[in-house]
Amino acid sequence: RNGGNFYGGHVAQAMDALKTAVASVGDLLDRQLELIVDEKFNNGLTPNLIPRLGADAFEAGLFHGFKGMQITASSLAAEALKWTMPAASFSRSTEAHNQDKVSMGTIAARDARSVVELVQRIAAVHLIALCQAADLRGLDVLSAPARSAYDAVRGLSAFLDRDRPLDTDIERVATLIASGELRTRVELDLETRGAETGEAAR
């Protein structure tokens, strides 16, 4: 008799749903990033968030800015979306048909982990670009939580004043996201400001 106690279909379905949801977030971040770097939509920011230069500056027209970062985010998003094919759909019969309905739960979980890691890097690119935009626009436009996130990212990735490799910056900020430290710092800042507001009200 088969009780099916080992069957991990619930794991496969949860992981397949998770990776689709996370990849969709990555896709959204990529599309928002396009609006930030595109001077047709970014409300007065520079093309590809290059540093502001005078029209007669010797280096005018030489910088690529965040063009490569946007292409990177787009390629990472495409790869994340590719991983959203449901692993549960590929159930196989194995072990001389003893396991006649394999859940594929482990593969679905590995796929979900891959998607999460890809989207963490997309989020890192997005945050670095937002910090660049804030520097170009003026930090006075940032809310308190946004300024806390800005400070955390800027501790790992400096303002892009000229083209340079940014792969290390991406990895540092992705680690900041994955570790939960970024969220902790923003939440701590909110709690501190909330307490200060409460004290002032009393």
Side-chain angles (χ1 to χ4, degrees), residues 41-55:
F41 304 107
N42 65 16
N43 194 27
L45 292 172
T46 55
N48 293 305
L49 304 179
I50 61 172
R52 295 192 185 280
L53 298 168

Side-chain angles (χ1 to χ4, degrees), residues 45-120:
L45 292 172
T46 55
N48 293 305
L49 304 179
I50 61 172
R52 295 192 185 280
L53 298 168
D56 58 347
F58 174 76
E59 295 180 311
L62 298 181
F63 294 146
H64 291 87
F66 277 70
K67 181 183 289 289
M69 290 283 267
Q70 198 262 323
I71 293 171
T72 297
S74 183
S75 64
L76 291 172
E79 185 174 355
L81 292 167
K82 181 207 48 128
W83 283 106
T84 60
M85 173 66 73
S89 299
F90 294 89
S91 176
R92 313 299 307 143
S93 171
T94 190
E95 197 191 345
H97 208 53
N98 177 44
Q99 298 182 38
D100 58 344
K101 181 67 175 170
V102 179
S103 71
M104 313 302 282
T106 303
I107 292 177
R110 292 205 314 265
D111 289 353
R113 179 183 61 188
S114 296
V115 169
V116 167
E117 290 172 349
L118 288 166
V119 173
Q120 285 169 346

Side-chain angles (χ1 to χ4, degrees), residues 4 10 13 16 49 51 53 60 73 85 96-97 100 102 115 125 133 140 144 161 167-168 174 191 200:
H10 55 297
Q13 291 173 20
D16 281 342
L49 304 179
L53 298 168
M85 173 66 73
H97 208 53
D100 58 344
V102 179
V115 169
V125 171
D140 56 310
D161 59 353
D167 53 328
T168 302
E191 290 173 6

Side-chain angles (χ1 to χ4, degrees), residues 143-163:
S143 66
R147 181 57 190 259
S148 181
Y150 169 90
D151 290 339
V153 173
R154 274 290 176 251
L156 301 171
S157 177
F159 177 76
L160 190 69
D161 59 353
R162 59 188 57 252
D163 291 349

Side-chain angles (χ1 to χ4, degrees), residues 142-194:
L142 299 180
S143 66
R147 181 57 190 259
S148 181
Y150 169 90
D151 290 339
V153 173
R154 274 290 176 251
L156 301 171
S157 177
F159 177 76
L160 190 69
D161 59 353
R162 59 188 57 252
D163 291 349
R164 70 171 192 269
L166 290 167
D167 53 328
T168 302
D169 298 56
I170 294 171
E171 289 304 314
R172 287 174 180 164
V173 177
T175 299
L176 181 74
I177 296 167
S179 68
E181 183 181 348
L182 178 63
R183 177 176 177 174
T184 298
R185 290 179 63 167
V186 172
E187 289 178 345
L188 181 61
D189 182 71
L190 284 171
E191 290 173 6
T192 301
R193 292 178 183 276

